[in-house]
Each structure stands twice: as C-alpha cells, then as structure tokens.
Amino acid sequence: MASDNAIHKLDEVICKSWELFIQQFVQGRYSITKEAPFQFHFADTINKVGNLYCFKRGESFSVDLETRMEGILGKNKYIDITCAFYHGGEIPTASAAIELKFKKNSQGADDEARIDAYLDIQALEACADHFDLAYFFMITESAAYSKPSIKVGSTADIFSMRNDYSPPVDKVLIPKLKSRSKNRIIFKSAHVFQWKSVGNNVFLKLDIHKGK
C-alpha cells in the first residue's frame, strides 16, 4: 500500500533526476538524437538516484521500460518508463508512470508531435488508478512548441503547448490531421505547460497527477 512519505520521496527522486538529466544533456554527457536514447539515459539516471534514496534495510527501487498496461482507454498502452519503491514485498510503497517526447528541428511533423503529446497526457490521466504519480517530459530544439500559434483554429492552436497554457478540461478535442483523425482527446484534469529554456533546447516537465 502506498504511503505519503514514499510518494513524496518518489516525487523528489524524479524531480531531482530531471534536473540532473537536463545538465547532463546540455553539457554533452550523452549523445541523444531521438527518443529511444532519451528514454534509456533518463531511466538510468532515475535508477541511480532512486537507489541512493533507499535508506532503510529491505528497501529497494526498480525502473522498467515499456511497461504494458491493459485496458487504458480501451486498449493496451506501453508506458515509456515506470518506477517504484518497495519495502520487503511485491507491492510497491509508491509507483510512477512517465511518458517522454523528443523532437529535433530536422524531424519535422510538429503537428503530429503535439497531438501525440496530448494522447500521452490523456493516457497518463487514465493510469491514475494504477500509479501514485505520473509525469510527461519533453525535450525539443524548437521554440515553436512553447510559443502561441499565429493561426487560430490550426492544429498548433487547438493542441497548443505554449508556455503557461492550460488546455480545456472536459472538452473533446478532435485532430484535423488525417493520420490522427480517429483519435478523441479529453482531459479530466487541469494542466499547465511551463517550459524551461537551457542552452539551445527547451524542456517541459508536466505533473499529471500526484497521489491517489
């Protein structure tokens, strides 16, 4: 059973890991050009920090990649990173789900990335009964994500990720793109996009939910 202390500690581990990872990334410790290395290296950082936070005898920390969750919004969902604290048993004392996005300017398809980010956030909301914490992280070279769209009604406007923007709650959003047109996105909770600019990149950390 999750405890408040364990949940708070896990939140601290993930927040600390993110700050460390940003510095490792901008100072060139890792060569990351796509999402898979981002996932691997960030998970490794979380694992190292999490194990340093195992203070008691019998306490352990685990990190997994591509965790399969069944019945999330009517389908199976693979979560990029999951992690948890344990204390002498198989039931975690606190657990977290993490989704990631990584976009370089050369990769293009910004509209698809925005919609996919919204889909990830919606899925993380739907995981609230399975994890104590959930987060969405994004790294991009493009400042366009953090700025308002100049065209009202565009995909960049409807699925805006601009700084300090809070998407509508309980409103169905329908993508215009043919490749994503079958999706229906609705947020059950309020979220605020707050980007951090470091070097030539902007970084996003979005807390999806904290505590059950």
Side-chain angles (χ1 to χ4, degrees):
M1 182 177 180
S3 69
D4 290 342
N5 287 339
I7 292 172
H8 175 77
K9 184 164 70 169
L10 183 55
D11 178 57
E12 189 172 325
V13 164
I14 294 171
C15 291
K16 176 64 70 175
S17 298
W18 181 236
E19 291 302 316
L20 289 169
F21 183 80
I22 288 175
Q23 292 304 314
Q24 292 170 329
F25 178 85
V26 299
Q27 296 187 47
R29 179 173 176 81
Y30 307 124
S31 176
I32 297 176
T33 58
K34 51 188 177 181
E35 196 166 298
F38 174 23
Q39 179 189 33
F40 175 81
H41 290 300
F42 187 36
D44 183 57
T45 301
I46 293 171
N47 186 52
K48 289 174 180 174
V49 175
N51 276 284
L52 289 174
Y53 273 72
C54 292
F55 305 131
K56 300 176 182 178
R57 186 181 297 274
E59 190 172 29
S60 62
F61 183 77
S62 71
V63 175
D64 291 300
L65 304 180
E66 300 297 335
T67 300
R68 185 176 186 267
M69 301 296 298
E70 297 183 355
I72 302 301
L73 300 174
K75 61 181 71 174
N76 296 329
K77 169 69 175 173
Y78 287 87
I79 305 297
D80 288 334
I81 300 172
T82 57
C83 56
F85 277 110
Y86 296 85
H87 194 268
E90 296 183 358
I91 298 176
T93 55
S95 61
I98 297 170
E99 285 285 271
L100 310 172
K101 279 287 174 287
F102 184 88
K103 290 291 292 182
K104 292 180 68 69
N105 289 330
S106 60
Q107 292 172 323
D110 289 354
D111 285 349
E112 288 186 356
R114 293 173 189 275
I115 295 168
D116 289 345
Y118 270 57
L119 287 168
D120 281 347
I121 293 166
Q122 178 180 235
L124 286 170
E125 282 191 346
C127 287
D129 291 336
H130 304 278
F131 297 92
D132 304 297
L133 303 167
Y135 311 81
F136 176 80
F137 294 97
M138 184 169 177
I139 302 174
T140 179
E141 295 176 323
S142 176
Y145 289 97
S146 62
K147 294 181 179 179
S149 171
I150 60 175
K151 186 177 181 181
V152 177
S154 65
T155 296
D157 179 51
I158 297 171
F159 295 92
S160 179
M161 301 177 73
R162 66 184 182 270
N163 203 41
D164 294 327
Y165 177 65
S166 182
V169 176
D170 293 328
K171 177 182 178 180
V172 178
L173 301 178
I174 304 174
K176 295 181 177 180
L177 292 183
K178 185 177 181 180
S179 61
R180 302 292 188 275
S181 61
K182 293 183 179 180
N183 291 292
R184 299 294 181 267
I185 300 171
I186 180 168
F187 290 165
K188 298 298 184 181
S189 302
H191 310 290
V192 181
F193 293 102
Q194 293 182 321
W195 295 84
K196 179 177 182 178
S197 179
V198 185
N200 297 322
N201 294 273
V202 284
F203 300 82
L204 174 68
K205 171 181 173 289
L206 194 64
D207 297 329
I208 307 304
H209 68 81
K210 289 190 175 183
K212 292 182 178 179

